[in-house]
C-alpha cells in the first residue's frame, strides 16, 4: 500500500497543497537575549536553563510556537571517528584557547558572559594533501558507525504510513570543507589545489550517500535539509562559477539519490545575500531558501519574480524592523503578507532573536504574526 501524502503543515505549505494555515515556527534566540529579557518577565530560572543553547525548547515553550506535528528522520552519520581530543591550551580570566573535538583551535569566551560572540579561529586541521589524508582516516566510508539502524528505518516507515514526513539533513559541501580548512584558507586552496578541493567535496558527498543508500526502497524521504552559511551582505563567499564547479555536482548526486525515495523538497540554511547561488541550488532540487536575511540583502520578492513557485521561502521577517517597535512591526508584516497569499512561504524572524529586540516588542510581533497566519489557539 502506498504511503499517504503527509499531513504536516510545513510540507503541505511548501508543496502548495491545502492546509488550514502555515505552521507557526521561529528560529531560536541568542543566549544574551533571554538574559536581557529577565527584568521584563522572562523566567530567570528558564534563562539559566537555556544557558548558551540558541535553540532550547524552553524558548519555544515561552513564546508559544507550534509543537512538532510528527515525523521521523533518517540519520546521516557524518561524525568524525575518532574525534580529536578536546584540550584547553591557554586561558585567562575571560577566554580560553581550545582545541575542540573537530581539531579546530580557537579563542572562545568562557560560557555565560554577556559578550558572547563567534570564536576567533586560529588553526584548522586540514592544510594540505598530507593533512587531508590524515583527516580522511577519521571519515572512513566503511566505518561501522555509519550504519543506519533498523530502529531508525522502522520509525521512518511507521511515520510515513501514519501520514507524517520523513526527513534527513547534512552539512553542505562548502560548509564541510570550511570546517576542515577555514574560510580564508579554503579560498586560497580552491585556486592553489583545485584537485584536492574536488576530492574533499566528493568524499563528503560519498559520506552522505553511504547513509541514504541504506534506506529501503519502500521508505520515502520527503525533505532534505542542508546547512551552508556561505554568504554575507555583499553576496556568497565563492562565485557562482566556483560553486557550480566544486559543489553543484555533489548536491546533484545526493539529491538524485533522495529523489529515488520521492524527495521533492530540500531547504538550505544560508545566511547573508544568497541571490547569486539560488539558481544553482534550484537546479539540483534544493528549493527552500532559509532564513532569507533582509538586512543582508536577500529579497524574497525578487526571488519569486525570478523563479516563481519553484522557489519556496522560509523566514524573511526583518529583525531590524521588529526591534523598532509596534508601527514598524505592523509595516513589516504588511510587507510580507502578499507572499503568504501566494503560498510556499513560512514566515518567521530572519535569524536568531537579537538582544536589541525587547521582550514587549517581540511578543507584540508574535501576536501580530499569529493573526496574519490565522492561528487562533
Amino acid at each position: 500500500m502506498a504511503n499517504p501524502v503527509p499531513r504536516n503543515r510545513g510540507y503541505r505549505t511548501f508543496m502548495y497543497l491545502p492546509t488550514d494555515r502555515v505552521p507557526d515556527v521561529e528560529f531560536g534566540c541568542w543566549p544574551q537575549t533571554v538574559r536581557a529579557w529577565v527584568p521584563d518577565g522572562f523566567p530567570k530560572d528558564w534563562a539559566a536553563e537555556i544557558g548558551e543553547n540558541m535553540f532550547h525548547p524552553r524558548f519555544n515553550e515561552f513564546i508559544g510556537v507550534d509543537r512538532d506535528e510528527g515525523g521521523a528522520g533518517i540519520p546521516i552519520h557524518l561524525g568524525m571517528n575518532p574525534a580529536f581530543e578536546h584540550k584547553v591550551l591557554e586561558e585567562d580570566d575571560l577566554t580560553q584557547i581550545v582545541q575542540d573535538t573537530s581539531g579546530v583551535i580557537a579563542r572562545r569566551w568562557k560560557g555565560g558572559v554577556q559578550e558572547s560572540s563567534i570564536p576567533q579561529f586560529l588553526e584548522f586541521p586540514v592544510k594540505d594533501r598530507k593533512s587531508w589524508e590524515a583527516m580522511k582516516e577519521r571519515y572512513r566510508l566503511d566505518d561501522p558507525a555509519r550504519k543506519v539502524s533498523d530502529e531508525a528505518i522502522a520509525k521512518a516507515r511507521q511515520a510515513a504510513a501514519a501520514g507524517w514526513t520523513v526527513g534527513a539533513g547534512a552539512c553542505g559541501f562548502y560548509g564541510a570543507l570550511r570546517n576542515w580548512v577555514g574560510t580564508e584558507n579554503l579560498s586560497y586552496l580552491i585556486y592553489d589545489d583545485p584537485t584536492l578541493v574536488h576530492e574533499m567535496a566528493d568524499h563528503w558527498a560519498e559520506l552522505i550517500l553511504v547513509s541514504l543508500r541504506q534506506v529501503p526502497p519502500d521508505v520515502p524521504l520527503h525533505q532534505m535539509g542542508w546547512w551552508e552559511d556561505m554568504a554575507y551582505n555583499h553576496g556568497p563567499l565563492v562565485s557562482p562559477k566556483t560553486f557550480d564547479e566544486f559543489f553543484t555536482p555533489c548536491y546533484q548526486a545526493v539529491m538524485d539519490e533522495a529523489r529515488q525515495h520521492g524527495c521533492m523538497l530540500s531547504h538550505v540554511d544560508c545566511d547573508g545575500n544568497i541571490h547569486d547561488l539560488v539558481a544553482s541550488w534550484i537546479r539540483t532540487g534544493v528549493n527552500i531558501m532559509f532564513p532569507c536575511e533582509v538586512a543582508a540583502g536577500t529579497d524574497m520578492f525578487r526571488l519569486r519574480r525570478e523563479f516563481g513557485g519553484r522557489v519556496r521561502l522560509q523566514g524573511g521577517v526583518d529583525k531590524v524592523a521588529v526591534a523598532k517597535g509596534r508601527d514598524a512591526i505592523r509595516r513589516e508584516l504588511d510587507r510580507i503578507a502578499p507572499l503568504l497569499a501566494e503560498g510556499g512561504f513560512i514566515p518567521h524572524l530572519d535569524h536568531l532573536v537579537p538582544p536589541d529586540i525587547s521582550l514587549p516588542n517581540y511578543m507584540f510581533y508574535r501576536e501580530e504574526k499569529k493573526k496574519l497566519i490565522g492561528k487562533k489557539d
Side-chain angles (χ1 to χ4, degrees), residues 337-351:
L339 285 173
L340 197 65
E342 289 181 6
F345 170 49
I346 298 175
H348 58 69
L349 215 65
D350 63 353
H351 207 276

Side-chain angles (χ1 to χ4, degrees), residues 3 44 68 89 141 190 214 217 229 246 294 349 351 363:
N3 291 304
K44 186 175 181 179
D68 290 340
L89 304 178
L141 298 176
I190 285 169
Q214 297 176 57
D229 277 7
F246 292 95
V294 178
L349 215 65
H351 207 276
M363 297 311 289

Side-chain angles (χ1 to χ4, degrees), residues 274-287:
I274 61 173
H275 283 278
D276 290 346
L277 300 181
V278 173
S280 296
W281 274 317
I282 286 181
R283 279 197 299 272
T284 68
V286 180
N287 51 14

Side-chain angles (χ1 to χ4, degrees), residues 67-376:
R67 295 184 178 182
D68 290 340
E69 294 178 285
I74 299 295
I76 306 294
H77 294 299
L78 298 172
M80 183 188 299
N81 186 21
F84 285 84
E85 180 185 359
H86 183 279
K87 295 188 290 189
V88 177
L89 304 178
E90 295 180 26
E91 66 179 309
D92 55 30
D93 290 343
L94 294 177
T95 66
Q96 294 177 328
I97 296 179
V98 176
Q99 175 186 281
D100 65 21
T101 55
S102 70
V104 174
I105 297 174
R107 184 185 298 276
R108 301 174 183 271
W109 291 103
K110 292 181 178 178
V113 298
Q114 198 65 21
E115 296 83 359
S116 294
S117 67
I118 61 172
Q120 178 191 5
F121 295 106
L122 304 174
E123 188 175 336
F124 289 85
V126 176
K127 303 172 180 64
D128 50 26
R129 180 166 295 279
K130 181 179 178 181
S131 53
W132 163 242
E133 293 299 333
M135 177 63 84
K136 193 174 176 181
E137 284 300 305
R138 300 174 185 266
Y139 288 98
R140 289 171 34 232
L141 298 176
D142 61 354
D143 188 333
R146 308 207 187 281
K147 177 174 172 27
V148 178
S149 70
D150 293 340
E151 180 183 8
I153 295 297
K155 287 181 177 179
R157 186 178 281 120
Q158 291 165 5
W164 300 113
T165 53
V166 178
C171 179
F173 302 97
Y174 179 90
L177 271 61
R178 189 254 310 280
N179 289 343
W180 289 332
V181 179
T183 303
E184 182 178 356
N185 298 334
L186 180 56
S187 298
Y188 282 109
L189 197 63
I190 285 169
Y191 291 95
D192 294 340
D193 196 343
T195 300
L196 178 57
V197 174
H198 275 295
E199 288 180 17
M200 290 192 290
D202 291 346
H203 190 77
W204 193 250
E206 285 301 315
L207 282 167
I208 299 169
L209 289 168
V210 163
S211 291
L212 288 184
R213 287 170 178 158
Q214 297 176 57
V215 181
D218 67 302
V219 175
L221 180 61
H222 299 104
Q223 185 168 327
M224 280 290 300
W226 302 92
W227 176 87
E228 277 290 17
D229 277 7
M230 58 180 299
Y232 70 124
N233 63 346
H234 291 293
L237 297 173
V238 298
S239 70
K241 179 181 177 182
T242 298
F243 186 91
D244 283 340
E245 178 182 347
F246 292 95
F247 307 125
T248 292
C250 298
Y251 272 107
Q252 192 72 63
V254 174
M255 292 306 301
D256 284 350
E257 179 66 26
R259 273 187 286 272
Q260 297 297 312
H261 295 270
C263 184
M264 298 180 69
L265 295 175
S266 181
H267 78 264
V268 59
D269 175 353
C270 186
D271 303 343
N273 185 327
I274 61 173
H275 283 278
D276 290 346
L277 300 181
V278 173
S280 296
W281 274 317
I282 286 181
R283 279 197 299 272
T284 68
V286 180
N287 51 14
I288 304 170
M289 303 300 132
F290 159 84
C292 299
E293 273 199 289
V294 178
T298 294
D299 183 340
M300 296 187 295
F301 290 90
R302 175 183 159 192
L303 291 175
R304 271 291 164 81
R305 289 194 300 270
E306 292 179 359
F307 301 103
R310 290 182 297 156
V311 68
R312 284 78 162 178
L313 304 162
Q314 181 173 342
V317 176
D318 186 5
K319 57 187 170 294
V320 176
V322 175
K324 292 179 179 178
R326 294 189 171 202
D327 289 344
I329 291 167
R330 290 191 185 99
R331 288 194 297 270
E332 177 62 9
L333 294 178
D334 287 345
R335 182 184 72 85
I336 66 168
L339 285 173
L340 197 65
E342 289 181 6
F345 170 49
I346 298 175
H348 58 69
L349 215 65
D350 63 353
H351 207 276
L352 303 168
V353 185
D356 63 340
I357 295 180
S358 69
L359 180 57
N361 281 342
Y362 188 71
M363 297 311 289
F364 179 79
Y365 150 71
R366 289 282 305 136
E367 291 305 312
E368 292 298 300
K369 192 191 88 166
K370 286 190 284 186
K371 294 176 189 175
L372 177 67
I373 66 175
K375 182 178 181 180
K376 295 179 172 56

